[in-house]
């Protein structure tokens, strides 16, 4: 994140791949909004009252605006034409305000983000008073012990 940057946080308590929040985040990206920072998702597991609680927090750049142009004229097309347009990156680039181009952008971004999410594992969140630690699930036992010892 950059100094002075406005950040909007979107939280959910479901796994990002199953969450109804993730498609909304993807739709915002397809509309021209952007993530805030290089690691826009903090996916954690924390023990709360003896039970695991998952929290996914997305960070989006709140200083960006999107412009939607209502210049699209009604048209009737057959499925073959819909498919041709949807599958054509050139057509979508030439018609960025067309609903088919938005659907293609959404589909591409959702597919890409899902692939990234499948490779990620949630971090273990441990709190001690006002201090907390984020521990990767695959951390070596020695590293986990060192991190926890620094919490006090």
């Amino acid at each position: 994140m950059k100094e002075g940057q406005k950040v909007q946080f979107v939280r959910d308590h479901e796994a990002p791949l199953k969450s109804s929040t993730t498609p909304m985040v993807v739709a915002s990206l397809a509309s021209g909004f952007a993530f805030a920072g290089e690691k826009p998702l903090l996916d954690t597991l924390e023990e709360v009252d003896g039970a695991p609680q998952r929290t996914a927090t997305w960070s989006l750049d709140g200083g960006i605006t999107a412009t939607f142009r209502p210049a699209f004229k009604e048209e009737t097309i057959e499925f073959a034409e819909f498919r041709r347009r949807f599958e054509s990156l050139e057509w979508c680039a030439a018609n960025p305000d067309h609903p088919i181009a938005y659907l293609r952008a959404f589909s591409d971004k959702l597919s890409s983000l899902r692939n990234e999410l499948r490779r990620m594992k949630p971090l273990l969140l441990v709190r001690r008073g006002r201090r907390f630690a984020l521990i990767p699930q695959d951390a070596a036992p020695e590293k986990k012990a060192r991190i926890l010892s620094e919490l006090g």
Side-chain angles (χ1 to χ4, degrees), residues 138-146:
D138 56 356
E142 306 81 42
K143 182 176 182 178
K144 183 177 178 181
R146 182 182 51 77

Side-chain angles (χ1 to χ4, degrees), residues 14-91:
E14 292 185 51
L17 280 170
K18 295 179 181 179
S19 171
S20 61
T21 300
T22 301
M24 183 277 301
V25 169
V26 172
S28 74
L29 298 173
S31 298
F33 294 96
F35 288 132
E38 293 180 26
K39 294 186 178 182
L41 174 62
L42 180 61
D43 185 13
T44 61
L45 286 173
E46 177 181 22
E47 187 174 310
V48 178
D49 297 327
Q53 179 178 314
R54 190 165 191 170
T55 303
T57 305
W58 295 96
S59 302
L60 291 120
D61 189 332
I64 295 177
T65 59
T67 301
F68 297 96
R69 296 172 194 86
F72 175 72
K73 294 181 182 179
E74 182 177 323
E75 68 177 329
T76 302
I77 61 173
E78 294 180 351
F79 174 75
E81 178 62 13
F82 173 87
R83 181 179 179 185
R84 183 192 71 75
R85 292 178 184 184
F86 187 90
E87 292 177 344
S88 171
L89 290 175
E90 295 81 16
W91 187 91

Side-chain angles (χ1 to χ4, degrees), residues 43-45 121-126 133-140 143-145 147-148 151:
D43 185 13
T44 61
L45 286 173
K121 293 180 182 176
L123 299 167
L124 177 61
L125 172 61
V126 179
L134 297 169
I135 304 171
Q137 284 188 13
D138 56 356
K143 182 176 182 178
K144 183 177 178 181
I147 293 171
L148 290 173
L151 270 179

